[in-house]
Amino acid sequence: MSQLINGMKKTTIYEIANALAIDSSTVSRALNDSPRVSKNTKEKVLKKAKELGYSTNLLASNLRQNKSNTIGIVVPRISRFFFSTTIAGIEEAAFTQGYNVIISQSLEQLDREKKIINNFVANRVDGVLISISWETENCTHLKHLQDLNIPLVFFDRHCASMTNTNKIITGDYEGAYQATNHLIEKGCKKIAHFAGPQTLELYKNRLNGYKMALENNKMKFDPALVQESSLMKNYGYESMKSLMEKIDDIDGVFSANDAAAVGAMKYLSRIGKRIPNDIAFVGFSNDPLSEVIDPPLSTVDQFGFEMGKKACELLIENINAKGKNPWQYRTVVLQPNLIERKSSQKPVKIT
Amino acid sequence: MSQLINGMKKTTIYEIANALAIDSSTVSRALNDSPRVSKNTKEKVLKKAKELGYSTNLLASNLRQNKSNTIGIVVPRISRFFFSTTIAGIEEAAFTQGYNVIISQSLEQLDREKKIINNFVANRVDGVLISISWETENCTHLKHLQDLNIPLVFFDRHCASMTNTNKIITGDYEGAYQATNHLIEKGCKKIAHFAGPQTLELYKNRLNGYKMALENNKMKFDPALVQESSLMKNYGYESMKSLMEKIDDIDGVFSANDAAAVGAMKYLSRIGKRIPNDIAFVGFSNDPLSEVIDPPLSTVDQFGFEMGKKACELLIENINAKGKNPWQYRTVVLQPNLIERKSSQKPVKIT
DNA sequence: AGATTAAATACAATCGATTGTATAATTTTT
DNA sequence: AAAAATTATACAATCGATTGTATTTAATCT
């Protein structure tokens, strides 16, 4: 095993070629196991490569092949549970297929998102997976990607204005419908909704699912029962507080995420309300918090890992199809799953 | 704005050079704002570049400059809260300084870790940030990185066998000492410890902190009170169960992470024990779970985001120092912070 | 104006691997 | 054994940007 002195230059195929008195092209082909090289030479090359501590320079290889074997990921925040789970799924699929992932966070800022996309283009990523920021209403920077023939897949949050594109999303409408309907079945008469930023399609859909469930059960939709916020925990707390001050006979809450529900539950337990007896709760996302809070929070499971994995597989499929027959953009909807826990088990009223 | 037809070749500096009848080297220098190019030409180049939709090919640039502006990160699991927080910190620092991050997960497997490192070397990352897997006892693959003169910084989990290296770690011993001492102060007489895999330095240190706190308070250390596991939630549940079946007068638990503590608390609430009155709890990490569980769990805050940010800054410093005076390896210890919550507030006994 | 210095640009090699084409070596066929 | 067909290897261009050196052009000085 060769000892490399600090800062010594890395071995290249030329050094291997020199050492064996053959041509660099033969070395390259040998290393790539090309049928154009004899078994004998391949063995010699491999042996010498090991001896010299050779490691392919993928920068060179990538340049020549005009392919980086890299996928760019943009998420609002890496540390948010749902996104870190999705990323885990993406990484898993990417690793299996020999792709690297580079990850950047938009921090919900459009201008950061644009910068990131530019950087990805400059780095010649083979494809992009993105969950857009709150601020992203104008998607020209993403359309531009498609113009450049760089495959793109949205996951979870997508651009409503782009119809011709790949996306993999949750059945938000259906999940919200189920959740609300479940509360109604448990006997709730006045159900509030914590809505997320209505710039995002997915929160609109959750609101619509809520509305439609009410309507189908002949309950009137009351805008005063809807609180829109960023759905962070403290907003759940505040939303609940201001709702309760205005309307005191709320007996159910469907929250568009778990964090806000948790915040609200904390407020209610502080003011002595019982869950689910006084107010029943259903959240969304199946955040680990939901299982731990007391009482455990009913929620809608989103399968983040699965979504990431599928999104990545779809992207790679698209990458591999480049240059072949025209690509058919695909929309995959993952149907979520209502998990019933104690927070929504209202005792049956005897009437 | 030029419309690119699907699959059209990307513009290069040569096209810009041709269009303006100047040399490509001048274009390159103009784009990099070199003082060797006149203001006039710079403007013309920039204008033409925009017109042709030019985007630097960093693959080419990186090859030439033998620098990828990329940092490789290896973590056991991206979706674990502590790691996703750390990654967020790393990404933040990297973005600020113009670096990309590529992320891979070892899934606690040594052979995956080795593959990842090889891949990072082939991709010529400028530096590596790693939190090693459980299985990683032999660190030759990481020593190899240093031989290749690729800067390396460990964070959180490091190799005990490597003394000459950069690392940024938590004051695990001190944190554990504080946590245990706190339980003792609250009147606990028989404190159990949920220990993590003892292959990892950090869990050894937490165990030692626990031991030393007992010793300094003249309490005997009893190995039967220590349960070693992977510290996943269900292991906390099981550990507590098997402990209680053997020893029934335990009145405090210091768990080396929060998840295991939460599992144990769930078990105790099931069998009707009261927390903190019967058994007080302190966890480690300040996982979001700890704030939400009832009663809220006292824990030791680890500042994951901070750790990631500092680790990345240290790495970049090391990268920039390459080739200059010999680098002094650094060890940074972030002192953790005990957060007292209800789970450890044992009512004072009147004696 | 002519010489000297400075500014701006052009030339050409280079980073390390890949790949189409040409040539040499070997094997098969007749 | 000569011709044809295979197989193995060598040659040389290429990917797109960077950078040291050389050359041309413009500005300054005496």
Side-chain angles (χ1 to χ4, degrees), chain A residues 163-180:
Chain A
T163 46
N164 258 338
T165 190
N166 300 306
K167 49 180 179 285
I168 173 152
I169 53 182
T170 308
D172 292 293
Y173 174 88
E174 293 83 353
Y177 187 99
Q178 267 185 68
T180 311

Side-chain angles (χ1 to χ4, degrees), chain B residues 88-117:
Chain B
I90 295 171
E91 199 275 342
E92 191 61 350
F95 185 85
T96 311
Q97 307 213 38
Y99 281 85
N100 294 312
V101 298
I102 70 182
I103 305 186
S104 296
Q105 21 185 18
S106 65
L107 304 179
E108 307 286 8
Q109 294 159 24
L110 175 59
D111 65 322
R112 239 182 112 125
E113 194 172 283
K114 283 185 185 168
K115 270 190 207 146
I116 292 167
I117 293 293

Side-chain angles (χ1 to χ4, degrees), chain B residues 84-278:
Chain B
S84 68
T85 313
T86 319
I87 293 171
I90 295 171
E91 199 275 342
E92 191 61 350
F95 185 85
T96 311
Q97 307 213 38
Y99 281 85
N100 294 312
V101 298
I102 70 182
I103 305 186
S104 296
Q105 21 185 18
S106 65
L107 304 179
E108 307 286 8
Q109 294 159 24
L110 175 59
D111 65 322
R112 239 182 112 125
E113 194 172 283
K114 283 185 185 168
K115 270 190 207 146
I116 292 167
I117 293 293
N118 284 337
N119 175 252
F120 282 178
V121 172
N123 274 289
R124 300 296 189 261
V125 296
D126 293 335
V128 172
L129 290 166
I130 188 171
S131 204
I132 61 174
S133 86
W134 285 339
E135 294 182 3
T136 308
E137 295 195 80
N138 179 329
C139 291
T140 43
H141 58 303
L142 299 171
K143 291 206 191 81
H144 184 222
L145 272 182
Q146 294 193 332
D147 292 342
L148 292 172
N149 201 22
I150 298 176
L152 172 69
V153 174
F154 291 95
F155 62 95
D156 197 48
R157 302 182 181 178
H158 68 284
C159 276
S161 62
M162 287 175 71
T163 46
N164 259 338
T165 191
N166 300 305
K167 49 181 179 284
I168 172 151
I169 53 184
T170 308
D172 292 294
Y173 174 89
E174 293 83 353
Y177 187 99
Q178 267 184 68
T180 311
N181 205 57
H182 170 65
L183 287 169
I184 297 172
E185 278 173 0
K186 291 295 170 181
C188 296
K189 300 291 177 211
K190 190 166 262 187
I191 303 171
H193 174 50
F194 295 163
Q198 294 294 302
T199 44
L200 293 177
E201 220 38 33
L202 98 223
Y203 289 121
K204 279 190 210 165
N205 292 337
R206 292 183 194 170
L207 175 58
N208 285 336
Y210 159 79
K211 275 188 192 168
M212 193 52 75
L214 293 181
E215 199 168 295
N216 285 355
N217 286 279
K218 308 214 162 45
M219 290 165 71
K220 257 241 293 299
F221 166 71
D222 178 0
L225 288 169
V226 175
Q227 290 276 324
E228 184 181 335
S229 76
S230 68
L231 296 178
M232 272 146 55
K233 200 162 93 191
N234 55 324
Y235 286 101
Y237 190 99
E238 294 303 330
S239 296
M240 196 73 234
K241 193 172 169 198
S242 70
L243 261 181
M244 293 298 283
E245 280 159 6
K246 287 184 296 186
I247 307 167
D248 63 357
D249 58 343
I250 291 170
D251 59 1
V253 173
F254 164 53
S255 173
N257 84 359
D258 289 338
V262 164
M265 287 165 78
K266 288 281 172 195
Y267 172 72
L268 292 174
S269 95
R270 169 160 304 180
I271 64 168
K273 288 280 181 184
R274 292 165 311 161
I275 299 167
N277 301 42
D278 297 331

